[in-house]
């Protein structure tokens, strides 16, 4: 099964993805997590991406397409994957179609997580993340068992540099202008499924599973 999560920053892509990949035994391919790992490791891509990410803009299409092209060839992707944060522009979406065509593969469903923009700033500014795993918490809505520590490893949680009220506005604008048009792109292909992403995390997950299984 090959899936895409489409949704604004803070809509819950990462939170829902972690549950879904466990249940469906597929891998989560979060381009945001991959870029943050590259920044931490100071690789060539990381050095290029750092300032762009901190400003809230999108990293260049060629870089993102290169990352995904290589990643979907890895052996752990044979049972399927969930793209979390890719594609994010029409160029990325068209290129993904090309890459999949070449491999005789296709996307089964695109899940659009729909949230009122007014809720996003609060979700994002209160988020704390465990960088190595991508697990996300929220100071108020989804607190860790021990303050400031990851539930599974006990390691420190961090505050993403782009999770400030100012940068959220830039990220939302990038989403509106460059990513939201993909809702139309996948609707035309007949594979888009809308999921109301407001409410309790588990309640939303039930909706996501229902949409995937439709
Ligand atoms: P990325 O890491 O993908 O960030 P994003 O799209 O802005 O999305 P987020 O990770 O912020 O939100 P999410 O939807 O995963 O929400 P989460 O589950 O964490 O990308 C970062 C940057 O990398 C981009 O800005 C760009 O520069 C670059 N980049 C990445 N991919 C790219 C691409 N393809 N092309 C170009 N550039 C790219 O939840 C958010 C918070 O809300 C958490 O605290 C969570 O606990 C809480 N929460 C979740 N669900 C609920 C709920 N139901 N109720 C209350 N709180 C909730
Ligand atoms: Mg995320």
């Amino acid at each position: 099964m090959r899936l895409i999560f489409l949704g604004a920053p803070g809509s819950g892509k990462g939170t829902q993805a972690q549950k879904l990949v466990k249940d469906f035994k597929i891998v989560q391919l979060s381009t945001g997590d991959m870029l943050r790992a590259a920044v931490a490791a100071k690789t060539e891509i990381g050095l290029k991406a750092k300032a762009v990410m901190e400003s809230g803009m999108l990293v260049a299409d060629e870089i993102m397409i290169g990352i995904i092209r290589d990643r979907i060839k890895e052996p752990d992707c044979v049972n399927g994957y969930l793209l979390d944060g890719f594609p994010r522009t029409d160029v990325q979406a068209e290129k993904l179609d090309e890459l999949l065509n070449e491999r005789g593969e296709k996307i089964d469903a695109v899940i659009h997580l729909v949230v009122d923009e007014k809720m996003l700033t609060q979700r994002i500014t209160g988020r704390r993340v465990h960088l190595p795993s991508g697990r996300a918490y929220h100071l108020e809505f989804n607190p860790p068992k021990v303050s400031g520590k990851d539930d599974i490893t006990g390691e420190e949680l961090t505050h993403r540099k782009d999770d400030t009220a100012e940068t959220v506005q830039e990220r939302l604008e990038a989403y509106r202008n460059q990513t939201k048009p993909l809702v139309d792109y996948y609707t035309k292909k007949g594979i888009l499924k809308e999921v109301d992403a407001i409410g309790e995390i588990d309640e939303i997950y039930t909706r996501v599973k229902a949409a995937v299984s439709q």
Side-chain angles (χ1 to χ4, degrees):
M1 186 186 304
R2 292 175 208 90
L3 303 169
I4 294 174
F5 267 1
L6 195 60
S11 57
K13 300 181 295 296
T15 302
Q16 297 296 329
Q18 297 238 337
K19 291 176 173 288
L20 197 76
V21 297
K22 215 163 136 198
D23 274 358
F24 287 73
K25 301 189 172 46
I26 57 178
V27 284
Q28 176 189 5
L29 305 184
S30 161
T31 42
D33 288 351
M34 293 176 204
L35 288 170
R36 280 182 286 280
V39 170
K42 297 193 168 67
T43 65
E44 202 185 325
I45 287 178
L47 294 174
K48 281 188 189 151
K50 188 172 188 287
V52 182
M53 292 172 80
E54 285 174 12
S55 73
M57 292 187 301
L58 296 182
V59 173
D61 286 333
E62 310 83 72
I63 293 183
M64 301 316 301
I65 291 160
I67 290 177
I68 288 297
R69 181 194 292 120
D70 294 343
R71 186 64 186 85
I72 61 175
K73 289 182 193 153
E74 296 286 325
D76 62 344
C77 288
V78 292
N79 292 331
Y81 46 80
L82 166 54
L83 292 167
D84 161 8
F86 183 95
R88 247 168 152 107
T89 64
D90 50 4
V91 174
Q92 291 179 19
E94 283 159 17
K95 196 68 200 182
L96 176 66
D97 282 344
E98 257 178 63
L99 290 175
L100 291 173
N101 274 337
E102 283 164 15
R103 300 169 59 82
E105 296 172 354
K106 65 175 180 56
I107 295 295
D108 298 293
V110 178
I111 307 294
H112 178 207
L113 297 175
V114 185
V115 184
D116 188 331
E117 272 195 15
K118 279 183 256 155
M119 311 184 75
L120 298 175
T121 306
Q122 204 189 1
R123 281 197 190 179
I124 291 175
T125 52
R127 171 170 47 197
R128 295 295 180 270
V129 289
H130 178 241
L131 280 180
S133 68
R135 274 186 287 279
Y137 300 85
H138 191 282
L139 296 177
E140 197 183 329
F141 307 137
N142 184 26
K145 290 184 187 125
V146 177
S147 171
K149 308 276 185 207
D150 177 47
D151 285 354
I152 312 280
T153 63
E155 290 167 347
E156 287 295 314
L157 300 180
T158 49
H159 190 195
R160 269 171 52 179
K161 281 224 173 84
D162 58 344
D163 277 353
T164 60
E166 304 77 62
T167 313
V168 170
Q169 294 314 315
E170 280 297 326
R171 287 163 62 192
L172 282 175
E173 198 160 314
Y175 177 74
R176 273 185 230 118
N177 296 335
Q178 292 170 273
T179 310
K180 212 166 172 207
L182 298 183
V183 170
D184 268 358
Y185 182 87
Y186 289 114
T187 301
K188 285 188 186 128
K189 289 184 178 288
I191 54 172
L192 189 97
K193 293 165 197 247
E194 303 254 318
V195 170
D196 173 6
I198 299 174
E200 294 294 323
I201 290 171
D202 286 340
E203 187 189 336
I204 296 164
Y205 182 55
T206 306
R207 293 178 206 144
V208 168
K209 265 199 302 194
V212 170
S213 314
Q214 251 170 32

